[in-house]
């Protein structure tokens, strides 16, 4: 996705719910839970209903009709 912002993470992976907050795609953990449960969050173009899904460098997360962000390793910057 050309309009994705790159969001660095310190570790090898991050949970989907945590990444949504880190990337400022949502404002709170409760909001993340609702967006994910309602099927409004996609990872690499596929809807994912698991808040605990592990994301790795290169994964792209998007909100339906909204922004998207790509996971990048902090060491890659």
């Amino acid at each position: 996705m050309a309009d994705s912002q790159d969001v660095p993470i310190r570790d090898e992976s991050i949970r989907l719910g945590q990444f949504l907050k880190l990337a400022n795609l949502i404002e709170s953990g409760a909001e993340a839970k609702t967006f994910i449960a309602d099927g409004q969050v996609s990872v690499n173009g596929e809807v994912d209903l698991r808040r605990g899904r592990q994301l790795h460098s290169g994964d792209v997360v998007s909100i339906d009709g909204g922004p998207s962000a790509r996971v990048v390793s902090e060491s890659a910057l």
Side-chain angles (χ1 to χ4, degrees):
M1 293 189 138
D3 60 346
S4 296
Q5 66 173 335
D6 287 346
V7 179
I9 61 171
R10 286 178 286 183
D11 300 317
E12 288 184 23
S13 65
I14 188 170
R15 289 187 188 120
L16 178 56
Q18 293 173 322
F19 184 75
L20 288 170
K21 291 188 293 186
L22 178 66
N24 292 319
L25 296 176
I26 51 91
E27 293 186 16
S28 70
E31 189 177 28
K33 183 177 181 179
T34 301
F35 271 69
I36 293 167
D38 289 346
Q40 297 180 40
V41 178
S42 297
V43 178
N44 299 326
E46 295 183 17
V47 172
D48 200 311
L49 302 176
R50 300 171 295 163
R51 193 169 45 151
R53 175 182 175 156
Q54 293 294 313
L55 303 174
H56 303 278
S57 186
D59 286 337
V60 176
V61 176
S62 58
I63 302 287
D64 283 354
S68 62
R70 181 175 47 225
V71 180
V72 295
S73 172
E74 203 171 69
S75 61
L77 297 178

